[in-house]
Amino acid sequence: MTATAPAFAAYADDQLYRVLLVEDDEADALLVEELLHDTGLPFRLTVTTTLADACAELAGEPADCILLDLHLPDASGPAAVATVRASAPHTAVVVLTGLSERHAGTDAMSAGAQDYLVKGKVEPDLLRRTVRYAVYRSRSERAAVEAQAARLQAQENKRLERGLLPQPLLETRAVTITTRYLPGREQALLGGDFLDAVEDDGVLHGIVGDVSGHGPDAAALGVCLRIAWRSLVLGGHRGAELLRLLDRILSAERREPHLFATCALITLDQGARTATLHLAGHDAPLLSTDQGTLEVSSAHGIALGIAPELGQWPQTVIPLPATGGLTLYTDGLTEGYAGDTDRRLGVDGLLGLIDRLPPTDPGTHVDLLIKEARALNAGRHTDDLAVLRLDWGPRGPSEGS
């Protein structure tokens, strides 16, 4: 049986306390209600006579404070406290004990109650202080739990970031490797952008990719594809064959059937002075030389996970100048807005930014480019961003980061 008393609002500047009284003695329940009125606290009181009814009430509507009698028809003692705390772990619990129960209050607090009151010894001022303090303490405990959860999430984000940003596996010092990864939104789980670079038999291999969507599913799939790519490259797989295997892995590992991924594979062979490029639904890289920066004219193939039976990924062979750099990136760098317009930055806008940047080392150049692109976008479009830049020639490996 549940009874609800009208709210009492003695102080308009004070909060309304939602109080749940669990008491099977009608006279004691009436006394508690009168004491609550005398406290001057604004409150809404709900009364239940059993612990089962109290748990049902809490499931439907939360309370700020639970006043709990320790002798109920269906529960008693610390077990009653444990049960109500399980139903409402972040709600203040104040137990009501009898005069003869010397240790009941302390036992109840050990079971999770914030405080206890002895029936017949309660004055309005004491009840007021007890309720307010119990609610404050309960909310402080909840804030501490939420802060701990936030810390754990931040640690998880760092672990995801370490997975998305591996250390390049390289032996050569003839090529400078610059990598950057930025999440689209602060304090959000990292999205599905990924990148990697490894060296095998004196040849440098790189990948930049982007799983559709955001959040943990996309991030997990991005990490899976990156690790699979590294393993397959070190196992001797190359080009279209490698993309077919990644396509199969994506189809097997994705949790949602609509997830797909774009990626760009690059194989840089300095001995042959060529770079071999395969694009799977991805933007072409940028080639920087002493004459400037241009988008590489490239053959394109379908994104991974779209239509495995139609997977065709032609290669593009790029002659390498004596000095230069190749920049592979995800669309988070180009899909932002180009200032106070509805126009997106795009590749042309990106090339325009590059033309205006001062000559500098590759790491600083990439940082300036990202900063300028984000300044133009001004937070209007959010997306993850990954950049892999490979530089070779007289500038030396010490310039990258």
PDB file of all heavy atoms in Angstrom, residues 21-60:
ATOM      1  N   LEU A  21       9.237   6.978   2.785  1.00  0.00           N
ATOM      2  CA  LEU A  21       9.193   6.397   4.128  1.00  0.00           C
ATOM      3  C   LEU A  21       8.727   4.953   4.018  1.00  0.00           C
ATOM      4  O   LEU A  21       7.644   4.678   3.484  1.00  0.00           O
ATOM      5  CB  LEU A  21       8.241   7.200   5.016  1.00  0.00           C
ATOM      6  CG  LEU A  21       7.961   6.615   6.418  1.00  0.00           C
ATOM      7  CD1 LEU A  21       9.231   6.504   7.242  1.00  0.00           C
ATOM      8  CD2 LEU A  21       6.896   7.450   7.141  1.00  0.00           C
ATOM      9  N   VAL A  22       9.539   4.023   4.549  1.00  0.00           N
ATOM     10  CA  VAL A  22       9.185   2.600   4.539  1.00  0.00           C
ATOM     11  C   VAL A  22       8.889   2.221   5.994  1.00  0.00           C
ATOM     12  O   VAL A  22       9.801   1.991   6.794  1.00  0.00           O
ATOM     13  CB  VAL A  22      10.332   1.738   3.954  1.00  0.00           C
ATOM     14  CG1 VAL A  22       9.841   0.311   3.719  1.00  0.00           C
ATOM     15  CG2 VAL A  22      10.878   2.351   2.673  1.00  0.00           C
ATOM     16  N   GLU A  23       7.615   2.188   6.331  1.00  0.00           N
ATOM     17  CA  GLU A  23       7.183   2.006   7.722  1.00  0.00           C
ATOM     18  C   GLU A  23       5.823   1.313   7.725  1.00  0.00           C
ATOM     19  O   GLU A  23       4.861   1.784   7.104  1.00  0.00           O
ATOM     20  CB  GLU A  23       7.094   3.375   8.404  1.00  0.00           C
ATOM     21  CG  GLU A  23       6.489   3.373   9.789  1.00  0.00           C
ATOM     22  CD  GLU A  23       7.313   2.568  10.774  1.00  0.00           C
ATOM     23  OE1 GLU A  23       8.368   3.061  11.212  1.00  0.00           O
ATOM     24  OE2 GLU A  23       6.880   1.436  11.091  1.00  0.00           O
ATOM     25  N   ASP A  24       5.733   0.181   8.452  1.00  0.00           N
ATOM     26  CA  ASP A  24       4.470  -0.565   8.472  1.00  0.00           C
ATOM     27  C   ASP A  24       3.576  -0.173   9.645  1.00  0.00           C
ATOM     28  O   ASP A  24       2.421  -0.611   9.719  1.00  0.00           O
ATOM     29  CB  ASP A  24       4.741  -2.073   8.505  1.00  0.00           C
ATOM     30  CG  ASP A  24       5.462  -2.511   9.763  1.00  0.00           C
ATOM     31  OD1 ASP A  24       6.263  -1.702  10.297  1.00  0.00           O
ATOM     32  OD2 ASP A  24       5.249  -3.650  10.207  1.00  0.00           O
ATOM     33  N   ASP A  25       4.098   0.647  10.555  1.00  0.00           N
ATOM     34  CA  ASP A  25       3.285   1.104  11.680  1.00  0.00           C
ATOM     35  C   ASP A  25       2.650   2.438  11.299  1.00  0.00           C
ATOM     36  O   ASP A  25       3.349   3.437  11.105  1.00  0.00           O
ATOM     37  CB  ASP A  25       4.160   1.255  12.926  1.00  0.00           C
ATOM     38  CG  ASP A  25       3.338   1.556  14.174  1.00  0.00           C
ATOM     39  OD1 ASP A  25       2.659   2.604  14.188  1.00  0.00           O
ATOM     40  OD2 ASP A  25       3.390   0.760  15.120  1.00  0.00           O
ATOM     41  N   GLU A  26       1.311   2.470  11.231  1.00  0.00           N
ATOM     42  CA  GLU A  26       0.608   3.663  10.772  1.00  0.00           C
ATOM     43  C   GLU A  26       0.845   4.851  11.698  1.00  0.00           C
ATOM     44  O   GLU A  26       1.006   5.995  11.245  1.00  0.00           O
ATOM     45  CB  GLU A  26      -0.887   3.362  10.662  1.00  0.00           C
ATOM     46  CG  GLU A  26      -1.686   4.505  10.046  1.00  0.00           C
ATOM     47  CD  GLU A  26      -3.148   4.131   9.838  1.00  0.00           C
ATOM     48  OE1 GLU A  26      -3.477   2.934   9.967  1.00  0.00           O
ATOM     49  OE2 GLU A  26      -3.947   5.047   9.546  1.00  0.00           O
ATOM     50  N   ALA A  27       0.892   4.605  13.010  1.00  0.00           N
ATOM     51  CA  ALA A  27       1.103   5.697  13.963  1.00  0.00           C
ATOM     52  C   ALA A  27       2.496   6.299  13.815  1.00  0.00           C
ATOM     53  O   ALA A  27       2.668   7.523  13.839  1.00  0.00           O
ATOM     54  CB  ALA A  27       0.895   5.192  15.386  1.00  0.00           C
ATOM     55  N   ASP A  28       3.517   5.429  13.631  1.00  0.00           N
ATOM     56  CA  ASP A  28       4.887   5.920  13.443  1.00  0.00           C
ATOM     57  C   ASP A  28       5.004   6.690  12.132  1.00  0.00           C
ATOM     58  O   ASP A  28       5.708   7.706  12.062  1.00  0.00           O
ATOM     59  CB  ASP A  28       5.876   4.755  13.455  1.00  0.00           C
ATOM     60  CG  ASP A  28       6.115   4.213  14.861  1.00  0.00           C
ATOM     61  OD1 ASP A  28       5.732   4.906  15.821  1.00  0.00           O
ATOM     62  OD2 ASP A  28       6.694   3.109  14.981  1.00  0.00           O
ATOM     63  N   ALA A  29       4.313   6.211  11.103  1.00  0.00           N
ATOM     64  CA  ALA A  29       4.354   6.907   9.819  1.00  0.00           C
ATOM     65  C   ALA A  29       3.756   8.302   9.933  1.00  0.00           C
ATOM     66  O   ALA A  29       4.292   9.277   9.388  1.00  0.00           O
ATOM     67  CB  ALA A  29       3.610   6.092   8.759  1.00  0.00           C
ATOM     68  N   LEU A  30       2.652   8.421  10.660  1.00  0.00           N
ATOM     69  CA  LEU A  30       2.012   9.722  10.853  1.00  0.00           C
ATOM     70  C   LEU A  30       2.924  10.657  11.644  1.00  0.00           C
ATOM     71  O   LEU A  30       3.043  11.851  11.334  1.00  0.00           O
ATOM     72  CB  LEU A  30       0.678   9.550  11.566  1.00  0.00           C
ATOM     73  CG  LEU A  30      -0.126  10.828  11.815  1.00  0.00           C
ATOM     74  CD1 LEU A  30      -0.459  11.535  10.504  1.00  0.00           C
ATOM     75  CD2 LEU A  30      -1.400  10.509  12.606  1.00  0.00           C
ATOM     76  N   LEU A  31       3.623  10.113  12.639  1.00  0.00           N
ATOM     77  CA  LEU A  31       4.538  10.925  13.438  1.00  0.00           C
ATOM     78  C   LEU A  31       5.686  11.462  12.584  1.00  0.00           C
ATOM     79  O   LEU A  31       6.053  12.641  12.699  1.00  0.00           O
ATOM     80  CB  LEU A  31       5.075  10.088  14.599  1.00  0.00           C
ATOM     81  CG  LEU A  31       6.111  10.781  15.509  1.00  0.00           C
ATOM     82  CD1 LEU A  31       5.499  12.007  16.179  1.00  0.00           C
ATOM     83  CD2 LEU A  31       6.643   9.796  16.557  1.00  0.00           C
ATOM     84  N   VAL A  32       6.252  10.615  11.705  1.00  0.00           N
ATOM     85  CA  VAL A  32       7.352  11.054  10.840  1.00  0.00           C
ATOM     86  C   VAL A  32       6.869  12.151   9.903  1.00  0.00           C
ATOM     87  O   VAL A  32       7.560  13.149   9.675  1.00  0.00           O
ATOM     88  CB  VAL A  32       7.926   9.866  10.044  1.00  0.00           C
ATOM     89  CG1 VAL A  32       8.890  10.356   8.970  1.00  0.00           C
ATOM     90  CG2 VAL A  32       8.628   8.888  10.982  1.00  0.00           C
ATOM     91  N   GLU A  33       5.651  11.999   9.361  1.00  0.00           N
ATOM     92  CA  GLU A  33       5.126  13.027   8.460  1.00  0.00           C
ATOM     93  C   GLU A  33       4.969  14.364   9.179  1.00  0.00           C
ATOM     94  O   GLU A  33       5.324  15.418   8.646  1.00  0.00           O
ATOM     95  CB  GLU A  33       3.795  12.579   7.877  1.00  0.00           C
ATOM     96  CG  GLU A  33       3.216  13.582   6.885  1.00  0.00           C
ATOM     97  CD  GLU A  33       1.896  13.119   6.289  1.00  0.00           C
ATOM     98  OE1 GLU A  33       1.558  11.929   6.451  1.00  0.00           O
ATOM     99  OE2 GLU A  33       1.210  13.956   5.674  1.00  0.00           O
ATOM    100  N   GLU A  34       4.475  14.331  10.426  1.00  0.00           N
ATOM    101  CA  GLU A  34       4.325  15.570  11.180  1.00  0.00           C
ATOM    102  C   GLU A  34       5.683  16.207  11.474  1.00  0.00           C
ATOM    103  O   GLU A  34       5.844  17.431  11.402  1.00  0.00           O
ATOM    104  CB  GLU A  34       3.577  15.281  12.482  1.00  0.00           C
ATOM    105  CG  GLU A  34       2.115  14.922  12.281  1.00  0.00           C
ATOM    106  CD  GLU A  34       1.425  14.539  13.582  1.00  0.00           C
ATOM    107  OE1 GLU A  34       2.148  14.373  14.597  1.00  0.00           O
ATOM    108  OE2 GLU A  34       0.180  14.403  13.588  1.00  0.00           O
ATOM    109  N   LEU A  35       6.676  15.378  11.791  1.00  0.00           N
ATOM    110  CA  LEU A  35       8.023  15.889  12.048  1.00  0.00           C
ATOM    111  C   LEU A  35       8.606  16.539  10.794  1.00  0.00           C
ATOM    112  O   LEU A  35       9.264  17.580  10.864  1.00  0.00           O
ATOM    113  CB  LEU A  35       8.943  14.766  12.534  1.00  0.00           C
ATOM    114  CG  LEU A  35       8.761  14.317  13.986  1.00  0.00           C
ATOM    115  CD1 LEU A  35       9.539  13.034  14.251  1.00  0.00           C
ATOM    116  CD2 LEU A  35       9.222  15.419  14.941  1.00  0.00           C
ATOM    117  N   LEU A  36       8.351  15.941   9.646  1.00  0.00           N
ATOM    118  CA  LEU A  36       8.841  16.512   8.399  1.00  0.00           C
ATOM    119  C   LEU A  36       8.222  17.883   8.142  1.00  0.00           C
ATOM    120  O   LEU A  36       8.899  18.818   7.699  1.00  0.00           O
ATOM    121  CB  LEU A  36       8.544  15.571   7.219  1.00  0.00           C
ATOM    122  CG  LEU A  36       9.483  14.373   7.061  1.00  0.00           C
ATOM    123  CD1 LEU A  36       8.938  13.394   6.019  1.00  0.00           C
ATOM    124  CD2 LEU A  36      10.890  14.833   6.659  1.00  0.00           C
ATOM    125  N   HIS A  37       6.944  18.017   8.414  1.00  0.00           N
ATOM    126  CA  HIS A  37       6.292  19.332   8.279  1.00  0.00           C
ATOM    127  C   HIS A  37       6.941  20.355   9.208  1.00  0.00           C
ATOM    128  O   HIS A  37       7.146  21.512   8.830  1.00  0.00           O
ATOM    129  CB  HIS A  37       4.802  19.218   8.568  1.00  0.00           C
ATOM    130  CG  HIS A  37       3.992  18.706   7.422  1.00  0.00           C
ATOM    131  ND1 HIS A  37       3.722  19.459   6.308  1.00  0.00           N
ATOM    132  CD2 HIS A  37       3.394  17.491   7.217  1.00  0.00           C
ATOM    133  CE1 HIS A  37       2.991  18.746   5.466  1.00  0.00           C
ATOM    134  NE2 HIS A  37       2.773  17.546   5.996  1.00  0.00           N
ATOM    135  N   ASP A  38       7.277  19.903  10.433  1.00  0.00           N
ATOM    136  CA  ASP A  38       7.868  20.819  11.408  1.00  0.00           C
ATOM    137  C   ASP A  38       9.293  21.212  11.065  1.00  0.00           C
ATOM    138  O   ASP A  38       9.802  22.217  11.580  1.00  0.00           O
ATOM    139  CB  ASP A  38       7.833  20.191  12.809  1.00  0.00           C
ATOM    140  CG  ASP A  38       6.419  20.057  13.357  1.00  0.00           C
ATOM    141  OD1 ASP A  38       5.525  20.785  12.857  1.00  0.00           O
ATOM    142  OD2 ASP A  38       6.210  19.223  14.250  1.00  0.00           O
ATOM    143  N   THR A  39       9.969  20.433  10.211  1.00  0.00           N
ATOM    144  CA  THR A  39      11.351  20.788   9.851  1.00  0.00           C
ATOM    145  C   THR A  39      11.409  22.024   8.976  1.00  0.00           C
ATOM    146  O   THR A  39      12.442  22.696   8.906  1.00  0.00           O
ATOM    147  CB  THR A  39      12.032  19.640   9.079  1.00  0.00           C
ATOM    148  OG1 THR A  39      11.349  19.427   7.832  1.00  0.00           O
ATOM    149  CG2 THR A  39      12.062  18.358   9.897  1.00  0.00           C
ATOM    150  N   GLY A  40      10.328  22.341   8.260  1.00  0.00           N
ATOM    151  CA  GLY A  40      10.335  23.448   7.322  1.00  0.00           C
ATOM    152  C   GLY A  40      10.935  23.096   5.979  1.00  0.00           C
ATOM    153  O   GLY A  40      11.029  23.952   5.090  1.00  0.00           O
ATOM    154  N   LEU A  41      11.344  21.834   5.792  1.00  0.00           N
ATOM    155  CA  LEU A  41      11.892  21.409   4.505  1.00  0.00           C
ATOM    156  C   LEU A  41      10.780  21.255   3.478  1.00  0.00           C
ATOM    157  O   LEU A  41       9.733  20.660   3.781  1.00  0.00           O
ATOM    158  CB  LEU A  41      12.622  20.065   4.633  1.00  0.00           C
ATOM    159  CG  LEU A  41      13.949  20.035   5.393  1.00  0.00           C
ATOM    160  CD1 LEU A  41      14.430  18.600   5.544  1.00  0.00           C
ATOM    161  CD2 LEU A  41      14.996  20.874   4.669  1.00  0.00           C
ATOM    162  N   PRO A  42      10.949  21.752   2.269  1.00  0.00           N
ATOM    163  CA  PRO A  42       9.986  21.429   1.201  1.00  0.00           C
ATOM    164  C   PRO A  42      10.139  19.944   0.854  1.00  0.00           C
ATOM    165  O   PRO A  42      11.253  19.487   0.581  1.00  0.00           O
ATOM    166  CB  PRO A  42      10.427  22.320   0.030  1.00  0.00           C
ATOM    167  CG  PRO A  42      11.392  23.310   0.610  1.00  0.00           C
ATOM    168  CD  PRO A  42      12.021  22.639   1.790  1.00  0.00           C
ATOM    169  N   PHE A  43       9.059  19.201   0.866  1.00  0.00           N
ATOM    170  CA  PHE A  43       9.192  17.769   0.628  1.00  0.00           C
ATOM    171  C   PHE A  43       7.935  17.216  -0.044  1.00  0.00           C
ATOM    172  O   PHE A  43       6.868  17.820  -0.018  1.00  0.00           O
ATOM    173  CB  PHE A  43       9.448  17.023   1.951  1.00  0.00           C
ATOM    174  CG  PHE A  43       8.255  16.964   2.872  1.00  0.00           C
ATOM    175  CD1 PHE A  43       7.355  15.892   2.818  1.00  0.00           C
ATOM    176  CD2 PHE A  43       8.016  17.986   3.784  1.00  0.00           C
ATOM    177  CE1 PHE A  43       6.262  15.850   3.666  1.00  0.00           C
ATOM    178  CE2 PHE A  43       6.919  17.944   4.629  1.00  0.00           C
ATOM    179  CZ  PHE A  43       6.038  16.882   4.578  1.00  0.00           C
ATOM    180  N   ARG A  44       8.137  16.053  -0.661  1.00  0.00           N
ATOM    181  CA  ARG A  44       7.011  15.241  -1.136  1.00  0.00           C
ATOM    182  C   ARG A  44       7.219  13.859  -0.546  1.00  0.00           C
ATOM    183  O   ARG A  44       8.247  13.223  -0.801  1.00  0.00           O
ATOM    184  CB  ARG A  44       6.976  15.182  -2.661  1.00  0.00           C
ATOM    185  CG  ARG A  44       5.735  14.418  -3.165  1.00  0.00           C
ATOM    186  CD  ARG A  44       5.590  14.438  -4.679  1.00  0.00           C
ATOM    187  NE  ARG A  44       6.580  13.589  -5.324  1.00  0.00           N
ATOM    188  CZ  ARG A  44       7.484  14.017  -6.178  1.00  0.00           C
ATOM    189  NH1 ARG A  44       7.557  15.310  -6.483  1.00  0.00           N
ATOM    190  NH2 ARG A  44       8.348  13.195  -6.740  1.00  0.00           N
ATOM    191  N   LEU A  45       6.268  13.415   0.245  1.00  0.00           N
ATOM    192  CA  LEU A  45       6.409  12.177   0.998  1.00  0.00           C
ATOM    193  C   LEU A  45       5.603  11.056   0.355  1.00  0.00           C
ATOM    194  O   LEU A  45       4.420  11.216   0.056  1.00  0.00           O
ATOM    195  CB  LEU A  45       5.952  12.374   2.446  1.00  0.00           C
ATOM    196  CG  LEU A  45       6.019  11.131   3.348  1.00  0.00           C
ATOM    197  CD1 LEU A  45       7.458  10.686   3.542  1.00  0.00           C
ATOM    198  CD2 LEU A  45       5.336  11.417   4.690  1.00  0.00           C
ATOM    199  N   THR A  46       6.244   9.912   0.197  1.00  0.00           N
ATOM    200  CA  THR A  46       5.585   8.684  -0.233  1.00  0.00           C
ATOM    201  C   THR A  46       5.820   7.629   0.836  1.00  0.00           C
ATOM    202  O   THR A  46       6.937   7.492   1.337  1.00  0.00           O
ATOM    203  CB  THR A  46       6.148   8.187  -1.586  1.00  0.00           C
ATOM    204  OG1 THR A  46       5.941   9.191  -2.566  1.00  0.00           O
ATOM    205  CG2 THR A  46       5.461   6.905  -2.024  1.00  0.00           C
ATOM    206  N   VAL A  47       4.754   6.910   1.216  1.00  0.00           N
ATOM    207  CA  VAL A  47       4.847   5.921   2.287  1.00  0.00           C
ATOM    208  C   VAL A  47       4.537   4.538   1.725  1.00  0.00           C
ATOM    209  O   VAL A  47       3.530   4.352   1.022  1.00  0.00           O
ATOM    210  CB  VAL A  47       3.867   6.251   3.437  1.00  0.00           C
ATOM    211  CG1 VAL A  47       3.998   5.216   4.558  1.00  0.00           C
ATOM    212  CG2 VAL A  47       4.126   7.657   3.969  1.00  0.00           C
ATOM    213  N   THR A  48       5.395   3.573   2.045  1.00  0.00           N
ATOM    214  CA  THR A  48       5.115   2.166   1.727  1.00  0.00           C
ATOM    215  C   THR A  48       5.257   1.360   3.012  1.00  0.00           C
ATOM    216  O   THR A  48       5.999   1.750   3.923  1.00  0.00           O
ATOM    217  CB  THR A  48       6.077   1.607   0.664  1.00  0.00           C
ATOM    218  OG1 THR A  48       7.410   1.601   1.175  1.00  0.00           O
ATOM    219  CG2 THR A  48       6.034   2.433  -0.608  1.00  0.00           C
ATOM    220  N   THR A  49       4.578   0.243   3.062  1.00  0.00           N
ATOM    221  CA  THR A  49       4.573  -0.558   4.297  1.00  0.00           C
ATOM    222  C   THR A  49       5.454  -1.799   4.202  1.00  0.00           C
ATOM    223  O   THR A  49       5.647  -2.483   5.202  1.00  0.00           O
ATOM    224  CB  THR A  49       3.142  -0.987   4.631  1.00  0.00           C
ATOM    225  OG1 THR A  49       2.602  -1.725   3.534  1.00  0.00           O
ATOM    226  CG2 THR A  49       2.267   0.234   4.912  1.00  0.00           C
ATOM    227  N   THR A  50       5.963  -2.116   3.025  1.00  0.00           N
ATOM    228  CA  THR A  50       6.837  -3.278   2.865  1.00  0.00           C
ATOM    229  C   THR A  50       8.053  -2.892   2.033  1.00  0.00           C
ATOM    230  O   THR A  50       8.030  -1.912   1.279  1.00  0.00           O
ATOM    231  CB  THR A  50       6.122  -4.449   2.160  1.00  0.00           C
ATOM    232  OG1 THR A  50       5.835  -4.080   0.808  1.00  0.00           O
ATOM    233  CG2 THR A  50       4.833  -4.829   2.887  1.00  0.00           C
ATOM    234  N   LEU A  51       9.105  -3.697   2.160  1.00  0.00           N
ATOM    235  CA  LEU A  51      10.318  -3.438   1.385  1.00  0.00           C
ATOM    236  C   LEU A  51      10.077  -3.705  -0.098  1.00  0.00           C
ATOM    237  O   LEU A  51      10.605  -2.993  -0.962  1.00  0.00           O
ATOM    238  CB  LEU A  51      11.463  -4.316   1.902  1.00  0.00           C
ATOM    239  CG  LEU A  51      12.855  -3.980   1.371  1.00  0.00           C
ATOM    240  CD1 LEU A  51      13.261  -2.570   1.769  1.00  0.00           C
ATOM    241  CD2 LEU A  51      13.885  -4.992   1.890  1.00  0.00           C
ATOM    242  N   ALA A  52       9.258  -4.695  -0.404  1.00  0.00           N
ATOM    243  CA  ALA A  52       8.956  -5.000  -1.809  1.00  0.00           C
ATOM    244  C   ALA A  52       8.255  -3.820  -2.472  1.00  0.00           C
ATOM    245  O   ALA A  52       8.583  -3.447  -3.611  1.00  0.00           O
ATOM    246  CB  ALA A  52       8.088  -6.256  -1.898  1.00  0.00           C
ATOM    247  N   ASP A  53       7.295  -3.211  -1.768  1.00  0.00           N
ATOM    248  CA  ASP A  53       6.609  -2.042  -2.322  1.00  0.00           C
ATOM    249  C   ASP A  53       7.577  -0.869  -2.482  1.00  0.00           C
ATOM    250  O   ASP A  53       7.482  -0.093  -3.440  1.00  0.00           O
ATOM    251  CB  ASP A  53       5.446  -1.634  -1.417  1.00  0.00           C
ATOM    252  CG  ASP A  53       4.280  -2.610  -1.495  1.00  0.00           C
ATOM    253  OD1 ASP A  53       4.248  -3.395  -2.468  1.00  0.00           O
ATOM    254  OD2 ASP A  53       3.421  -2.575  -0.592  1.00  0.00           O
ATOM    255  N   ALA A  54       8.506  -0.746  -1.536  1.00  0.00           N
ATOM    256  CA  ALA A  54       9.484   0.341  -1.626  1.00  0.00           C
ATOM    257  C   ALA A  54      10.376   0.174  -2.864  1.00  0.00           C
ATOM    258  O   ALA A  54      10.633   1.145  -3.589  1.00  0.00           O
ATOM    259  CB  ALA A  54      10.349   0.376  -0.365  1.00  0.00           C
ATOM    260  N   CYS A  55      10.835  -1.047  -3.107  1.00  0.00           N
ATOM    261  CA  CYS A  55      11.687  -1.291  -4.275  1.00  0.00           C
ATOM    262  C   CYS A  55      10.922  -1.043  -5.567  1.00  0.00           C
ATOM    263  O   CYS A  55      11.471  -0.493  -6.539  1.00  0.00           O
ATOM    264  CB  CYS A  55      12.230  -2.716  -4.244  1.00  0.00           C
ATOM    265  SG  CYS A  55      13.413  -3.008  -2.891  1.00  0.00           S
ATOM    266  N   ALA A  56       9.641  -1.417  -5.588  1.00  0.00           N
ATOM    267  CA  ALA A  56       8.817  -1.150  -6.766  1.00  0.00           C
ATOM    268  C   ALA A  56       8.642   0.348  -6.976  1.00  0.00           C
ATOM    269  O   ALA A  56       8.669   0.849  -8.110  1.00  0.00           O
ATOM    270  CB  ALA A  56       7.463  -1.846  -6.618  1.00  0.00           C
ATOM    271  N   GLU A  57       8.463   1.082  -5.904  1.00  0.00           N
ATOM    272  CA  GLU A  57       8.311   2.530  -5.984  1.00  0.00           C
ATOM    273  C   GLU A  57       9.592   3.180  -6.510  1.00  0.00           C
ATOM    274  O   GLU A  57       9.551   4.071  -7.360  1.00  0.00           O
ATOM    275  CB  GLU A  57       7.982   3.084  -4.600  1.00  0.00           C
ATOM    276  CG  GLU A  57       7.711   4.568  -4.566  1.00  0.00           C
ATOM    277  CD  GLU A  57       6.402   4.956  -5.215  1.00  0.00           C
ATOM    278  OE1 GLU A  57       5.455   4.124  -5.207  1.00  0.00           O
ATOM    279  OE2 GLU A  57       6.316   6.087  -5.741  1.00  0.00           O
ATOM    280  N   LEU A  58      10.731   2.718  -6.030  1.00  0.00           N
ATOM    281  CA  LEU A  58      12.017   3.273  -6.473  1.00  0.00           C
ATOM    282  C   LEU A  58      12.300   2.966  -7.933  1.00  0.00           C
ATOM    283  O   LEU A  58      12.952   3.746  -8.631  1.00  0.00           O
ATOM    284  CB  LEU A  58      13.153   2.724  -5.594  1.00  0.00           C
ATOM    285  CG  LEU A  58      13.169   3.224  -4.145  1.00  0.00           C
ATOM    286  CD1 LEU A  58      14.140   2.397  -3.318  1.00  0.00           C
ATOM    287  CD2 LEU A  58      13.538   4.697  -4.102  1.00  0.00           C
ATOM    288  N   ALA A  59      11.806   1.828  -8.400  1.00  0.00           N
ATOM    289  CA  ALA A  59      11.999   1.490  -9.807  1.00  0.00           C
ATOM    290  C   ALA A  59      11.220   2.432 -10.713  1.00  0.00           C
ATOM    291  O   ALA A  59      11.645   2.712 -11.841  1.00  0.00           O
ATOM    292  CB  ALA A  59      11.560   0.043 -10.059  1.00  0.00           C
ATOM    293  N   GLY A  60      10.089   2.946 -10.206  1.00  0.00           N
ATOM    294  CA  GLY A  60       9.283   3.844 -11.016  1.00  0.00           C
ATOM    295  C   GLY A  60       9.681   5.288 -10.896  1.00  0.00           C
ATOM    296  O   GLY A  60       9.621   6.052 -11.868  1.00  0.00           O
TER     297      GLY A  60
END
